[in-house]
Amino acid sequence: IQMMQNHHAPIQELYVSPDSAQKLKREAGDLLSWDLTPRQICDLELLMNGGFSPLKGFLGKEDYESVVDNMRLADGTLWPMPITLDISEDFAAKIEEGQDIALRDQEGVILAILSISDKWVPNKAHEAEKVFGADDIAHPAVNYLHHTAGPVYLGGAITGIQPPVHYDFRARRDTPNELRAYFRKLGWRKVVAFQTRNPLHRAHQELTFRAAKEAQANLLIHPVVGLTKPGDVDHFTRVRCYEAVLDQYPSATTTMSLLNLAMRMAGPREAVWHGLIRKNHGCTHFIVGRDHAGPGKNSAGEDFYGPYDAQDLFRQHQEEIGIEMVDFKHMVYVQERAQYEPADEIEDKDNVTILNISGTELRRRLREGLEIPEWFSFPEVVKELRRTSPPRSKQGFTVFFTGLSGSGKSTIANAIMVKLMEMGGRPVTLLDGDVVRKHLSSELGFSKEHRDINIRRIGYVASEITKNGGIAICAPIAPYTSTRRAVREMIEAYGAFVEVHVATSLEECERRDRKGLYALAREGKIKEFTGISDPYEEPTEPELRVDTEGMDVDYCAQQVLLKLESMGLVAG
Ligand code: PPS
């Protein structure tokens, strides 16, 4: 009983009173300030609202080292995740320990003041080994640590001025104290929390429902809407899916709240961290699944953690965490009995048909517009997922022609544009080299630096078109491999990138010399001319290579179209 009352009592927040906040905000205007990254904003929100209690700010050096090495703060309190403020070298050079700085969100609003107690350069390789199990950038948090996080850490107490502003799903966001008050008001003495970063399907509904029954507890669906694993279904879509599933639970026993946590995918340590966070949110029980918060495969193609490591570590520290683990049963569908059952408790196993659709298989079916059966998910959820991930033939994509001047890029690009417009369905934009240089890049010349800026601009516009479901056709020379790769990455975040190397030889381009530029380049009247006095790095693995010598334009455009069809980008 004592423990349950504690779950309802308010937890300590780091905010000052509204009056003081006004005053502090004015004063903080004079302080040096740090613009928080999206991940830091998530961390700060949970620090300020008590979600990361007992932390009172970003970890100092001693606490950090102790957390990294022993999963405990320097005073021995269990805390598995280093919550530090990473900054740039430039900013680090401007500040000293003992100083106060303002922490601002991305619009410049001051959210908090950090009183810097420690400034240090962390050993990131050591942090990766200890916290994530390996210094391997296949792990998303290790990749973040080395490639996104700044080189210097700051630690110190936080004075909270205001929470970060959210404009989406406001009614579904709750602080730990708001949830505690809600549970108290409804008389929910036992609450089992379900952490998730994926859409819920029938199996999840079954298992959460069972978990709640087993623990004789109410159920909190507590999805993460901060940062999850790169490539996950975006949280807007997921929340619409969750709302649909929520109707499937008895409403008097179940609720949902959104958690603005930045996940690290740290498996076992993450599970312990998630447990502490849920305890702070007033829950008494927590569901830990197989491969909880798993980061996927390492660079050798093996799992980072064993499937039950998270459950084991949680069990060892359950008392200290102050929340009881409910272990996740792997639920499978038994066709003959038309119901979900725990995989390890199936009766008459050899005579029944067990059905299962993996995450990968689900994504394939969505991509290809194939059937997703009713036994697997709810029609409302499938509808939402299909709206966000239409089949490839309805998604945006980019065709990126590259080749020497006069190789025939523009001609083929124009032909393919017209053919795609003839098919209809998606808007088509041609970003031709000459056109772009006139409208987007009129101030640029042909140095490596300027060519790179030019190509990145094209890439940015093409990525926006791709994101919004259109077709972008680009036809610049784009002579540098690394720049083409950067553009590919920008676009592949939203849709397919089809690189077409127009491989007409220099001799042929020069023989044709349609614009008379090669002659001028040979005479030295045009400097830095690609192929003559400037490099062209041939693509080594383009999606398609076309050779225009002895082929007519229509044939080349057909080849491109067949490639698009084989990639599923245009309907066959
Ligand atoms: S790049 O390298 O991708 O930024 O070049 P791009 O924007 O495609 O521009 C190439 C067109 O500009 C004309 N032109 C030159 N090309 C190469 N080198 C030099 N120095 C140069 N000066 C002018 C040329 O007409 C190119 O057009 P295309 O359509 O490729 O023949």
Side-chain angles (χ1 to χ4, degrees), residues 496-517:
F497 179 80
V498 186
E499 184 173 54
V500 182
H501 178 207
V502 182
T504 312
S505 67
L506 179 64
E507 297 69 44
E508 177 65 14
C509 292
E510 195 168 1
R511 195 186 60 72
R512 291 182 197 161
D513 203 5
R514 292 179 44 192
K515 298 181 189 166
L517 296 175

Side-chain angles (χ1 to χ4, degrees), residues 405-406 409-410 433-434 437 446 451 454-455 476-479 515 517 526-530:
S405 170
K409 302 182 299 285
S410 305
D434 282 342
R437 285 206 167 254
F446 290 89
R451 287 180 198 260
N454 181 43
I455 299 306
I477 298 178
K515 298 181 189 166
L517 296 175
I526 305 181
K527 304 264 174 306
E528 302 178 306
F529 195 84
T530 307

Side-chain angles (χ1 to χ4, degrees), residues 474-493:
C474 314
I477 298 178
Y480 298 106
T481 309
S482 65
T483 325
R484 291 192 301 259
R485 189 181 309 123
V487 169
R488 176 186 290 273
E489 279 173 18
M490 253 149 100
I491 289 162
E492 284 184 340

Side-chain angles (χ1 to χ4, degrees), residues 334 337 339 341-354:
V334 182
R337 294 195 279 269
Q339 65 183 9
E341 296 178 15
D344 54 358
E345 290 172 26
I346 293 171
E347 276 173 41
D348 202 15
K349 223 179 172 130
D350 300 330
N351 296 312
V352 293
T353 319
I354 290 168

Side-chain angles (χ1 to χ4, degrees), residues 196-217:
T196 181
R197 44 170 262 269
N198 286 312
L200 299 185
H201 302 296
R202 283 189 199 272
H204 304 105
Q205 203 261 338
E206 275 295 327
L207 98 89
T208 49
F209 193 62
R210 270 171 187 259
K213 264 204 310 208
E214 234 167 72
Q216 296 186 32

Side-chain angles (χ1 to χ4, degrees), residues 241-379:
C241 291
Y242 299 139
E243 307 230 314
V245 178
L246 211 57
D247 295 340
Q248 307 290 326
Y249 292 96
S251 63
T253 62
T254 302
T255 192
M256 174 175 79
S257 179
L258 307 179
L259 180 66
N260 196 40
L261 172 70
M263 290 181 68
R264 314 295 210 252
M265 312 310 299
R269 277 198 187 220
E270 181 116 359
V272 171
W273 187 39
H274 286 175
L276 288 165
I277 294 167
R278 272 41 183 239
K279 191 219 30 206
N280 289 336
H281 283 79
C283 304
T284 54
H285 293 72
F286 183 59
I287 301 175
V288 181
R290 188 182 177 281
D291 195 27
H292 187 97
K297 306 270 183 218
N298 65 19
S299 46
E302 291 148 6
D303 289 332
F304 277 94
Y305 317 116
Y308 298 103
D309 289 2
Q311 290 183 354
D312 293 344
L313 193 71
F314 199 106
R315 201 172 286 112
Q316 279 170 37
H317 297 92
Q318 176 159 297
E319 288 292 315
E320 263 181 291
I321 302 171
I323 192 167
E324 206 172 304
M325 177 170 78
V326 181
D327 47 16
F328 182 113
K329 311 271 180 301
H330 180 53
M331 305 293 291
V332 291
Y333 187 74
V334 182
Q335 191 175 31
E336 282 75 5
R337 294 195 279 269
Q339 65 183 9
Y340 279 89
E341 296 178 15
D344 54 358
E345 290 172 26
I346 293 171
E347 276 173 41
D348 202 15
K349 223 179 172 130
D350 300 330
N351 296 312
V352 293
T353 319
I354 290 168
L355 300 178
N356 202 9
I357 293 180
S358 69
T360 314
E361 173 64 7
L362 175 65
R363 282 190 289 278
R364 185 187 77 87
R365 291 191 187 197
L366 285 169
R367 200 167 53 236
E368 297 179 18
L370 300 172
E371 195 223 336
I372 294 162
E374 281 255 0
W375 63 259
F376 176 75
S377 195
F378 306 96

